[in-house]
Amino acid sequence: MKKHSGLILSFITMMVVSVGCSSNDTSNKEEATANKEEVTKTGPTENQQAETEEPAVSLPSGPVDKDLERIKLPAGFRIDYYAKDVENARSMAMSPSGILFVGTRSNDKVFAVIDKDKDGKADEVVVVASGLNTPNGVALKDGDLYVAEINRILRYRDIENTFRNKPKFEVVNDKFPSDEHHGWKYIAFGPDGKLYVPVGAPCNICKSEKPIYASITRMNADGTGLEVYAAGVRNSVGMDWNPATKALYFTDNGRDMLGDNTPPDELNRATEKGQNFGYPYCHAGTISDPEFGKEHDCSEFVKPVRTLSPHGASLGLKFYTGNMFPAEYKNQIFIAEHGSWNRSQKIGYRLMLARQDANGNVTSYEPFAQGWLEGQKEWGRPVDVLVMKDGSLLVSDDANNAIYRITYSK
């Protein structure tokens, strides 16, 4: 009898467990179905899709373009055309989904460059906007495209979904000077979420009573709170933030008419608001200006992190944050030298590499990609640089109307 009672008890226990499991399974399936429906209904944001689902861009294959065989690079690196016929290609900004927006200086247009099949070569170049006043600077924030004209900042809403449809802009801020001399602007959003906008000196060398000249300004994304962040900056057309320290690094073009080698361009570092970098009184940290230098000593100003090529027109710069290049390039600084216009012997027309040590000291400045200057004749002028998600490096060229892509493979 005990034996039968034990069997009955075991059977009942098994039934209870089975029913419980069945109930839990049904509940879990219903919950999973509900979650699946919710995900299907709402879906990830476009930014999340770009971060998690964007296919890798292919490494180039086949021969290098004949034009680009002239470009010298370190071993293992290769340069190809990412896009051709991008007239007067200047500043660049990449959207989360991989659309490259390109500003122009001597043109009136902003372009969108699209690589649909992710093969490392653009399939399409679209005119996003035209009729603008030197729209050199482009930047992206929260799905909106910001464009810098000479005297104002524009915003194009939801640009990834509207760029093909002649989108309308809104004026974010129109309080900038209208001077054409050094009036073209490079813009970028900093780690603080503010938009940084350099304002060049309206001359070769002069002193202005208006603090906004020869400065780097910043403002909120909606255009409010415009203020001077850094003073004494003659003409900066490139900036980036150190990924470790978040300090602002920017290039500055030295004054003209003091000879072939004086003064050099500058790579500067701004660590806080209110610093002054010397213009028009002091150049490159040590050179007193012959006209204005008697008014202030060079010791009163922040010195450059590194002096650069004299009259090389140092423009766009980027810290290399990708993983494609060898480890020695991590967090080093690439700088585009647009090239001189008033030296007896031309200089620049190349992409440079500024190497820094663990303490942020720039220990060397050397050519990385060169060959656009042959003798004293140039056929290309690098302007801006941009690190792609796959670690390759884009370089714009406003003379050759092109975007290049530099890759590395062992």
Side-chain angles (χ1 to χ4, degrees):
M1 187 69 182
K2 290 181 181 179
K3 184 175 180 181
H4 289 295
S5 299
L7 288 171
I8 292 170
L9 182 59
S10 298
F11 177 77
I12 293 172
T13 301
M14 289 174 65
M15 288 295 292
V16 170
V17 171
S18 175
V19 170
C21 289
S22 177
S23 176
N24 287 341
D25 286 347
T26 302
S27 176
N28 289 341
K29 287 177 181 178
E30 289 175 352
E31 184 178 350
T33 301
N35 288 342
K36 184 177 180 181
E37 288 175 353
E38 183 179 353
V39 170
T40 303
K41 181 180 178 182
T42 60
T45 65
E46 289 182 3
N47 286 7
Q48 289 170 334
Q49 288 176 345
E51 291 171 2
T52 60
E53 298 177 12
E54 183 179 15
V57 180
S58 302
L59 284 171
S61 59
V64 173
D65 190 282
K66 286 291 183 183
D67 281 352
L68 301 182
E69 287 180 353
R70 295 180 276 178
I71 304 301
K72 296 178 181 178
L73 288 158
F77 289 91
R78 168 177 172 142
I79 186 169
D80 293 89
Y81 280 107
Y82 184 76
K84 295 182 179 182
D85 301 320
V86 186
E87 186 179 354
N88 194 239
R90 296 276 294 185
S91 301
M92 299 181 290
M94 184 74 78
S95 78
S97 68
I99 301 170
L100 181 69
F101 292 95
V102 184
T104 61
R105 175 186 158 189
S106 63
N107 203 332
D108 65 345
K109 298 177 176 64
V110 173
F111 298 103
V113 179
I114 304 103
D115 175 14
K116 294 178 183 177
D117 55 7
K118 305 299 180 185
D119 66 348
K121 292 185 181 297
D123 307 295
E124 193 177 6
V125 177
V126 176
V127 176
V128 177
S130 60
L132 301 179
N133 183 13
T134 311
N136 184 85
V138 289
L140 288 154
K141 182 174 174 57
D142 299 331
D144 299 336
L145 175 68
Y146 290 72
V147 176
E149 293 185 292
I150 285 180
N151 66 322
R152 61 183 186 172
I153 306 298
L154 313 177
R155 175 166 55 191
Y156 294 82
R157 297 279 192 179
D158 191 24
I159 193 63
E160 289 188 315
N161 295 313
T162 61
F163 73 92
R164 294 182 184 276
N165 305 318
K166 300 188 183 327
K168 294 182 178 180
F169 63 78
E170 57 191 70
V171 177
V172 172
N173 192 300
D174 60 359
K175 304 302 182 185
F176 292 94
S178 58
D179 306 75
E180 292 185 3
H181 196 117
H182 297 153
W184 54 93
K185 292 172 173 55
Y186 180 97
I187 58 174
F189 279 95
D192 55 6
K194 294 180 182 290
L195 184 65
Y196 285 70
V197 186
V199 180
C203 55
N204 172 37
I205 185 76
C206 61
K207 185 168 64 171
S208 174
E209 297 301 322
K210 295 181 180 179
I212 197 169
Y213 285 113
S215 75
I216 294 178
T217 69
R218 69 177 178 181
M219 62 184 180
N220 299 320
D222 63 0
T224 61
L226 179 64
E227 62 181 353
V228 172
Y229 179 75
V233 182
R234 179 178 177 271
N235 183 34
S236 178
V237 197
M239 65 178 74
D240 195 14
W241 284 263
N242 186 307
T245 67
K246 308 305 180 186
L248 170 64
Y249 283 63
F250 61 92
T251 54
D252 193 12
N253 289 189
R255 67 156 292 180
D256 301 314
M257 310 309 175
L258 290 184
D260 274 4
N261 297 311
T262 305
D265 289 348
E266 303 172 15
L267 174 62
N268 289 303
R269 174 176 56 207
T271 55
E272 60 184 356
K273 177 187 170 184
Q275 293 175 311
N276 192 305
F277 294 84
Y279 177 89
Y281 311 103
C282 180
H283 309 290
T286 59
I287 302 169
S288 181
D289 187 79
E291 184 175 351
F292 298 103
K294 58 183 178 293
E295 298 181 32
H296 290 277
D297 191 86
C298 283
S299 62
E300 299 176 41
F301 306 110
V302 180
K303 288 180 168 48
V305 175
R306 176 82 184 197
T307 56
L308 308 178
S309 303
H311 309 299
S314 307
L315 301 185
L317 78 148
K318 284 292 183 297
F319 284 86
Y320 182 74
T321 54
N323 295 312
M324 177 185 287
F325 294 3
E328 66 185 89
Y329 290 91
K330 194 76 169 184
N331 293 338
Q332 306 305 313
I333 308 168
F334 285 101
I335 299 175
E337 287 189 352
H338 194 229
S340 58
W341 65 271
N342 65 339
R343 291 178 97 254
S344 60
Q345 294 292 310
K346 291 183 178 181
I347 193 173
Y349 309 92
R350 58 192 177 181
L351 185 64
M352 301 292 287
L353 177 65
R355 295 184 183 272
Q356 56 177 353
D357 61 20
N359 297 318
N361 302 309
V362 177
T363 56
S364 66
Y365 186 62
E366 60 199 42
F368 176 79
Q370 56 184 334
W372 288 282
L373 177 65
E374 297 178 323
Q376 288 295 288
K377 185 176 182 180
E378 76 277 2
W379 60 275
R381 304 188 75 181
V383 178
D384 196 16
V385 288
L386 185 149
V387 183
M388 296 186 75
K389 285 185 178 181
D390 67 351
S392 58
L393 193 69
L394 296 184
V395 183
S396 61
D397 182 335
D398 65 351
N400 197 28
N401 301 322
I403 309 291
Y404 310 110
R405 178 174 176 239
I406 297 176
T407 54
Y408 176 83
S409 60
K410 296 180 180 178

